[in-house]
Amino acid sequence: VLYYKSEEEQKLQKQREQIVAQSNKLISRTRSQMKIRELRILLYLISKIRPDDQPGTLYRLSVSDLAKLSGVKDPNYSRIRAIVNNMNRMFWIEDFEPDVDVGMVWFSVAWYHKKTGYIDFKFTEEISPYLFALKQHYTSYPLSYVLPMRSQYSVRLYEVLKGYKSKNPSHDNFGVKLEKLKAVLGA
């Protein structure tokens, strides 16, 4: 028996295979309290960035695709809007410069099209250097690796370990004090 994937299943599979790429500074120094659904959506949005995209690029996302990929059972549009709204709370990058922490938000603007079920958004100018045109000191992985994870801590731990490995490819061991790990994970 052959299994045939519908056009929609093929489209979702292609989206799951997109690559998430972030600056190592963003991964290792960001302190945020995002819930797992928010984090999945954020990573999905980041995976939309193509290597040749410029800061200020407008991205359009389908709310129903977003719901399916992020584990929201009911693609209730107001629920997705609330999740996206919560995602844009200020987060902190610690030691951005020596003795300086910086608070940022992810999006400069988001347009929520109620009748068509789309959200258009732009990443802020301040966050763009950590997401666009990354040539060195960054970590990347397929979105499909983190979508099944059930906890924001699992995702963050994966990112931290993956970031460490990308900075130190010849090292097989990783050591960190428990208090620092808790801070990095936001636990």
Side-chain angles (χ1 to χ4, degrees):
V1 175
L2 294 174
Y3 176 71
Y4 174 75
K5 287 186 177 181
S6 71
E7 191 174 313
E8 181 181 354
E9 289 171 324
Q10 291 175 9
K11 179 180 153 189
L12 286 172
Q13 183 60 36
K14 186 176 179 181
Q15 290 175 348
R16 286 183 186 105
E17 293 169 2
Q18 294 177 152
I19 301 298
V20 176
Q22 303 175 67
S23 159
N24 287 335
K25 190 175 198 177
L26 191 61
I27 290 172
S28 65
R29 297 184 183 174
T30 299
R31 305 297 175 259
S32 174
Q33 296 296 322
M34 278 195 182
K35 306 265 187 259
I36 187 64
R37 286 186 181 148
E38 296 167 354
L39 191 53
R40 284 180 185 145
I41 292 172
L42 176 65
L43 296 175
Y44 173 61
L45 299 176
I46 291 172
S47 78
K48 291 290 188 187
I49 300 170
R50 305 281 55 97
D52 57 340
D53 286 354
Q54 298 298 312
T57 299
L58 181 69
Y59 296 90
R60 170 163 279 192
L61 301 172
S62 159
V63 171
S64 75
D65 287 354
L66 206 57
K68 290 172 190 167
L69 284 169
S70 65
V72 175
K73 304 254 187 288
D74 173 20
N76 176 312
Y77 297 113
S78 60
R79 180 183 216 173
I80 297 291
R81 181 178 166 177
I83 290 171
V84 171
N85 187 48
N86 286 338
M87 290 167 50
N88 216 29
R89 292 183 308 257
M90 186 173 290
F91 67 94
W92 291 90
I93 299 178
E94 293 185 351
D95 296 321
F96 183 78
E97 294 175 4
D99 298 321
V100 176
D101 295 344
V102 174
M104 295 186 186
V105 294
W106 290 101
F107 314 118
S108 59
V109 67
W111 289 276
Y112 188 76
H113 304 276
K114 297 177 200 174
K115 293 185 181 195
T116 59
Y118 288 98
I119 298 175
D120 295 334
F121 71 95
K122 289 182 188 179
F123 287 102
T124 63
E125 183 180 322
E126 293 78 14
I127 202 70
S128 292
Y130 305 101
L131 300 173
F132 289 85
L134 301 172
K135 304 283 187 232
Q136 58 184 358
H137 309 298
Y138 71 95
T139 297
S140 63
Y141 55 87
L143 180 63
S144 62
Y145 285 15
V146 295
L147 284 176
M149 294 181 184
R150 296 176 164 256
S151 163
Q152 66 269 25
Y153 305 115
S154 301
V155 174
R156 288 290 294 138
L157 182 60
Y158 176 78
E159 288 181 332
V160 168
L161 293 173
K162 185 80 172 153
Y164 178 81
K165 188 65 174 172
S166 76
K167 285 189 282 189
N168 307 289
S170 63
H171 293 135
D172 291 329
N173 297 319
F174 174 70
V176 64
K177 292 185 179 196
L178 185 58
E179 290 306 313
K180 180 163 173 75
L181 184 60
K182 283 181 181 180
V184 168
L185 298 178

